[in-house]
Structure formats: C-alpha cells, structure tokens
Amino acid sequence: MNQMSKLDHFIQQAVSAAPVSGTSLISSLYGDSLSHRGGEIWLGSLTALLEGLGFGDRFVRTSLFRLNKEGWLDVDRIGRRSFYRLSDKGMRLTRRAESKIYRAEAPAWDGNWLLLLSEGLDRNTLADVKKQLLWQGFGTLAPNLLASPSQRLADVQALLHEAGVAEQVICFEAQSPLATSVSALRARVEECWQLTGQNQLYEDFIATFRPLLPLLREADEDELTPARCFAIQLLLIHLYRRVILKDPLLPEALLPAHWLGQSARQLCINIYRCVAPGALAWVSEKGETSVGPLPQPASSFWQRFGGLKT
C-alpha cells in the first residue's frame, strides 16, 4: 500500500469508525473553516466540500434543514441558490466552543472557585441552564450547587443573562479549601466531573490519530493535496471537539495521575499544523458566498493553538 492510499485509508477508517451526526459534522465545519471567514457559504459549496468524505447531497440538505430549524443557521435564498450562514446564536455558541478547542495549553489557576446556587429555578429552566453550564465546565457539587475552578465570572454572568436567569442564580467566589480538605476534594472532583470517563475519551482519540502523524511526516508534498488536508482537518477537529467540549479544563492540581488531556491536545496541534495550509486552500477553492469568494481568514484564525504559520 503506497503512502497516498494510506492517507485515504485513514480517512475512510475515521469516517466509518462510528456513526457520524450530520448536524454535528457541519457544526464542526462551520466552526473550524467558516466562522473566521464570514460564516456564510453556498449549499453547493458545502456539498462539494463534504463529498470527498463520502457524504452526499441528501446528507447535507437534511443536516442544514435541522440546523436552520434549531436556530443555529440562517438561510438566504437568491434565485435557485441557498446560502447558509451562522445565526447570532450559532456564532455565539461557536465562539464559546473555540475558546476550549483551540487553546494551546490548560488555563492557569489562581486557586479560586466559582460557585452557583440555583435553588430559585423551576425544573425545566434549571435543566436547560444546567446543561449549558456543564458544557462550560461546571460540575455538580450538590443538587443545586454548581462549581468551577476555571470559569471567569464575567463569562458566566453573560451566559446567565442570555438565559434570562441572572437574577435567580446566586454567584459566589470562593478560595481553595484548607489543606486538610484536599484529598476529600480530589475524590469529589473525580466523581463530579466523571474524570475516568473523560480520560478514556482522550485515550480513544489518541489511539485513533497517533498513527496519522508519521504518515503525514513521511508524505511527499504532492500527496498532501488540499482535498486530503481538508478531510483530515475536519475529522480531526470534529472528533477532538466531541472530547474537548466535555472536558471541564480543571487545573492540573485537581487532575488524577496519568491524565491524557495535554497529550491529546498536543497531538491535535501537531496534526492541525501539518494540514491547515492545504485545508485553507481547499475551502478557498470550493467556497462561495452570496457576494462572491470567501473572505480571507480573520487574524484570530492564525492565533489558534498558540500560532499557525501564515
């Protein structure tokens, strides 16, 4: 098997390893390839981008219909053409996800905790807000008490305001516990944030993508075509996103031994830097908006993972 077919074989294996949600895959595509380039693209361009991974027109149309119905994408129809762009909601959620996905290292910790007491919320509202907060990295210390050592108060207040519950949730800022409480806290953290399960997700991600790195390093330049680079980058970010967005990004002092989060992050960074130039070129070639070609990437794109080559 030659080098070229090894890369194609890897792509096919990654696609077929587990069922792929169309809405999730296209959300990953918008977040990774389009949010920093205006956030809009023609339906035909999306179909052209995804056909190389084996996904057809019906898969794309069904997924876009659902994302539009959920308010994640807006659509403009000009003649017989449909152009889908990130809505305000979609862009807001994408920006929140970016802050976790593309960081180069775990956040520094000053020993402070943010505590949220949510006793005043009705059950349905609580469930919705709690889901968003857990996604942001909070854990449930007690039935109505959420806690995070890594979230900024301003970001959490903005989320609570958007959900319309800022005046019903009581926020506390607390210092790290007494030395005598540390072992009990670590045990509680392990349970609250289900770190054993999270570590297994990282282990699976590493097992999938570690074999790819030597293939990329050994590949000739003409084997790393823009189409292959795009397919690899989308699959990489799609699968990494599914893991990292569940990670509460806890400080190292609270993590168990043999935590694999940093190893997974570094593997993702190394692969991303290999394929990003080609992937960017492929999206530029295939991407079309309602006013013409996609704009050039915003400066924030080049700052991903601590810096990409321009």
Side-chain angles (χ1 to χ4, degrees):
M1 188 180 292
N2 61 35
Q3 190 73 44
M4 191 177 297
S5 62
K6 283 182 179 178
L7 290 174
D8 289 335
H9 182 65
F10 175 86
I11 292 167
Q12 290 169 2
Q13 276 193 320
V15 169
S16 59
V20 175
S21 159
T23 54
S24 181
L25 184 69
I26 290 178
S27 296
S28 297
L29 193 160
Y30 268 88
D32 188 59
S33 297
L34 301 174
S35 64
H36 58 284
R37 305 187 70 174
E40 179 194 80
I41 197 167
W42 172 44
L43 167 61
S45 296
L46 277 177
T47 303
L49 286 170
L50 289 173
E51 67 181 357
L53 288 102
F55 299 109
D57 181 70
R58 184 176 179 181
F59 174 92
V60 175
R61 288 177 182 272
T62 301
S63 304
L64 290 172
F65 174 80
R66 289 174 179 163
L67 287 167
N68 175 239
K69 192 174 181 181
E70 292 168 7
W72 207 85
L73 292 177
D74 292 330
V75 59
D76 285 326
R77 293 182 174 85
I78 302 174
R80 299 181 65 181
R81 287 184 158 202
S82 296
F83 298 86
Y84 287 85
R85 68 179 184 279
L86 285 168
S87 65
D88 290 343
K89 172 187 174 180
M91 187 63 81
R92 190 168 63 245
L93 294 176
T94 295
R95 292 285 179 256
R96 279 190 191 143
E98 282 176 353
S99 67
K100 291 184 88 171
I101 296 169
Y102 300 108
R103 64 171 58 249
E105 56 190 16
W109 189 41
D110 58 6
N112 286 333
W113 286 78
L114 196 56
L115 305 178
L116 303 180
L117 187 62
S118 57
E119 287 183 339
L121 298 180
D122 69 75
R123 184 174 298 177
N124 290 336
T125 305
L126 175 60
D128 184 52
V129 173
K130 197 172 183 180
K131 182 179 178 182
Q132 294 183 58
L133 290 168
L134 293 176
W135 188 72
Q136 287 297 103
F138 278 82
T140 307
L141 280 186
N144 293 311
L145 184 64
L146 299 174
S148 172
S150 59
Q151 294 298 309
R152 294 189 309 165
L153 179 59
D155 293 340
V156 174
Q157 285 181 321
L159 187 154
L160 295 174
H161 275 289
E162 288 167 15
V165 298
E167 296 180 1
Q168 297 161 274
V169 176
I170 304 170
C171 299
F172 299 92
E173 288 186 289
Q175 294 293 319
S176 54
L178 299 173
T180 51
S181 306
V182 170
S183 60
L185 175 64
R186 287 177 72 97
R188 187 77 180 121
V189 163
E190 170 82 29
E191 181 184 342
C192 285
W193 279 274
Q194 300 177 333
L195 296 184
T196 301
Q198 180 68 32
N199 216 28
Q200 182 62 54
L201 294 176
Y202 277 130
E203 187 175 333
D204 295 343
F205 174 83
I206 291 169
T208 297
F209 282 96
R210 187 158 47 194
L212 175 62
L213 203 52
L215 297 183
L216 292 172
R217 287 173 173 162
E218 295 162 10
D220 294 334
E221 191 172 330
D222 61 347
E223 293 163 357
L224 282 176
T225 63
R228 285 195 185 97
C229 287
F230 169 78
I232 289 169
Q233 181 172 301
L234 178 57
L235 290 170
L236 174 76
I237 289 300
H238 177 59
L239 295 176
Y240 183 64
R241 176 177 176 263
R242 284 165 56 176
V243 180
I244 191 68
L245 291 185
K246 295 176 182 176
D247 188 339
L249 298 181
L250 296 174
E252 188 176 345
L254 299 174
L255 292 172
H258 312 300
W259 181 249
L260 296 172
Q262 184 58 34
S263 295
R265 181 186 293 114
Q266 194 58 53
L267 177 62
C268 183
I269 290 171
N270 291 339
I271 295 173
Y272 197 91
R273 285 176 174 165
C274 285
V275 298
L280 197 64
W282 190 243
V283 174
S284 294
E285 180 181 330
K286 296 296 181 182
E288 185 180 340
T289 76
S290 58
V291 294
L294 283 167
Q296 290 300 306
S299 59
S300 58
F301 170 77
W302 303 107
Q303 295 162 13
R304 288 178 173 180
F305 293 125
L308 302 173
K309 291 181 181 178
T310 57

